Amino acid sequence: MTGNIAQIDRDVIIARHCFGGIGDHLSCLIGAWWLARRTARTLVVDWRGSRFNADPTMRRNCFFHYFEPRQAMGGVRIIADDSVGGLQYRTPIWPAKWTQADLTSSDHLKHSAEEVAAVNELVTSERKPIEPTVVLNQWVEPPPPREMVRLLLAELHLAEPIRAEAQGFWNEQIGSAFAVGIHLRHGNGENVGARAAYWLSPFALSRQLSLNARNDVHRPGLFGRFSDNMPASFVGMSSQAGAERRFCRKVAADFHAFAERLNAVNAVPFLFCDSMQIIDTLREFLPNLVVRPKVLPEKGDGPLHQFEAKPVGQNGTRIGTVPEQVTLDMFVELDLMQRCQALMYMDSGFSILARTMLEQSRQLRLQPSRTNRLIVRAMS
């Protein structure tokens, strides 16, 4: 139990919660698992401080609240219960910014750009760290080998209540039909970085990328409207409604072409999106669109994984949690997306599980317009 100090006598890789959405959490988990497997270490998953933790005290570890408890996954021993806050780790710790006090705490530690690059290099290389304790709390890029990650995902099962909720909706709305998942990351007012290329007109995209380039998301403190240091977003503004409509029309055309290529002309489009205006617009072009009802923020209020910010914690990070029903809906959608027989997606971590398990022939990566792709390439 948390509060009782227990010395851990083995080398470990720790996957901490990320200061981001569930895709960031899962990418960090997958990267940490791969590093633990490659180096024959124990994996510790510590999501106490996650924005998805329903425990306001942050003493409970919410990982096994959303996934079935297991002692090992994909050949790696795992510790992910409430005891993680009381573990005394062996030193030295890598990266060196972490201390035992930091690991006892549930607080997030911000990174520098150099630290992000160093973690990515370690996970994706063949190098074995000499430090007995290694900590990850960021998105890992590029991902580990797909076939290896499937060993983990074959045993990473969502909790039974989540699977039961997803099964009920699937039986009612999909049944035996061929479902094509469509994941559209809109932001709903949040800055979505280069993903703005999907939603903005060329001139607005140039302005957005120029604003983004002047900001360092890793610098201390918070200056953005939402949870990071990004500038205001043009995505979702009324002036961009025409560009959004054009992209939704393109998504619908891509869906029909994709379904035909898969010999699934009667396929059901299943949308995963947090913006009501995009749901309504895409339904104009795909009248049989399936969308699971859920609580949605008002237009411009940001994505579902935003939270009611509390006073800034250590290292300049806002602290707070996402409402529990919103989080449960999110995990149900994770399950539903994995049930789809094919997937159309934008660059986003939320689809990482479905993309890893599906064969490439059943995936379609959506593309912005050619003009916008050229603008991103020229300004990156």
Side-chain angles (χ1 to χ4, degrees):
M1 294 296 293
T2 301
N4 297 329
I5 300 300
Q7 179 72 42
I8 192 162
D9 60 356
R10 62 184 73 95
D11 292 353
V12 298
I13 307 295
I14 305 173
R16 293 275 287 198
H17 72 280
C18 296
F19 195 69
I22 191 60
D24 297 274
H25 284 55
L26 293 172
S27 172
C28 179
L29 171 68
I30 290 169
W33 170 85
W34 171 240
L35 184 58
R37 180 182 170 92
R38 182 169 67 77
T39 58
R41 295 188 178 211
T42 294
L43 174 64
V44 177
V45 184
D46 184 356
W47 283 11
R48 287 173 299 144
S50 170
R51 66 180 62 185
F52 305 115
N53 192 351
D55 174 20
T57 70
M58 300 294 183
R59 294 191 182 96
R60 302 292 305 275
N61 185 10
C62 68
F63 182 72
F64 284 152
H65 182 66
Y66 301 117
F67 294 97
E68 283 187 350
R70 299 183 70 96
Q71 294 183 327
M73 289 185 187
V76 175
R77 181 176 178 181
I78 181 172
I79 301 173
D81 59 12
D82 292 345
S83 70
V84 296
L87 296 179
Q88 185 79 27
Y89 296 100
R90 298 169 60 198
T91 58
I93 303 170
W94 188 93
K97 68 179 180 181
W98 291 94
T99 67
Q100 178 59 48
D102 294 323
L103 293 174
T104 300
S105 166
S106 62
D107 288 343
H108 175 81
L109 292 190
K110 287 179 69 68
H111 338 278
S112 66
E114 291 76 16
E115 288 168 344
V116 170
V119 169
N120 286 337
E121 188 279 328
L122 173 63
V123 175
T124 58
S125 71
E126 294 299 318
R127 182 165 62 87
K128 293 188 176 182
I130 60 173
E131 295 85 356
T133 302
V134 174
V135 187
L136 278 66
N137 68 337
Q138 67 178 62
W139 175 273
V140 175
E141 188 70 30
R146 175 190 298 268
E147 292 304 320
M148 297 305 299
V149 177
R150 285 176 173 175
L151 297 177
L152 166 65
L153 300 191
E155 299 180 358
L156 182 67
H157 300 151
L158 287 159
E160 195 281 330
I162 293 171
R163 288 185 283 114
E165 181 74 20
Q167 185 69 62
F169 184 81
W170 186 272
N171 291 344
E172 179 182 335
Q173 296 294 326
I174 305 296
S176 61
F178 189 100
V180 177
I182 305 173
H183 183 222
L184 301 182
R185 177 77 165 86
H186 180 261
N188 191 31
E190 179 200 38
N191 193 308
V192 288
R195 287 186 292 258
Y198 291 95
W199 304 110
L200 298 182
S201 64
F203 178 71
L205 176 62
S206 299
R207 288 186 59 203
Q208 184 75 73
L209 295 178
S210 178
L211 287 172
N212 293 355
R214 302 174 199 167
N215 288 267
D216 177 10
V217 297
H218 302 295
R219 74 187 188 276
L222 285 164
F223 304 92
R225 177 184 170 197
F226 294 108
S227 301
D228 55 24
N229 288 324
M230 296 293 277
S233 177
F234 299 143
V235 175
M237 294 177 62
S238 58
S239 61
Q240 298 305 310
E244 292 184 350
R245 188 176 182 81
R246 285 191 294 275
F247 180 64
C248 287
R249 184 185 295 115
K250 178 181 181 300
V251 169
D254 287 345
F255 166 79
H256 290 302
F258 189 37
E260 183 175 358
R261 194 173 83 206
L262 294 170
N263 295 317
V265 292
N266 294 320
V268 175
F270 195 151
L271 178 63
F272 302 87
C273 183
D274 296 345
S275 172
M276 181 56 72
Q277 70 203 63
I278 298 304
I279 295 171
D280 291 341
T281 302
L282 189 59
R283 187 170 270 132
E284 293 180 36
F285 302 109
L286 294 172
N288 62 333
L289 190 71
V290 171
V291 183
R292 182 176 179 270
K294 59 186 176 183
V295 177
L296 287 173
E298 295 295 324
K299 181 178 178 180
D301 281 352
L304 281 173
H305 64 238
Q306 291 296 329
F307 53 82
E308 190 67 33
K310 296 180 180 179
V312 174
Q314 71 172 40
N315 299 296
T317 55
R318 290 191 179 113
I319 55 177
T321 58
V322 175
E324 187 170 10
Q325 185 58 53
V326 170
T327 298
L328 289 173
D329 284 340
M330 184 183 311
F331 279 94
V332 170
E333 288 202 337
L334 276 179
D335 184 290
L336 288 168
M337 187 180 290
Q338 292 181 84
R339 294 170 186 261
C340 293
Q341 292 94 329
L343 179 67
M344 300 167 59
Y345 67 96
M346 292 169 52
D347 293 331
S348 172
F350 188 76
S351 63
I352 189 171
L353 301 184
R355 284 187 282 116
T356 301
M357 295 305 292
L358 278 172
E359 296 300 327
Q360 291 286 0
S361 62
R362 295 204 167 196
Q363 299 183 47
L364 177 65
R365 181 184 175 191
L366 296 168
Q367 296 286 351
S369 69
R370 183 183 299 273
T371 299
N372 280 10
R373 293 203 302 271
L374 291 173
I375 290 171
V376 171
R377 191 177 306 153
M379 298 185 67
S380 62

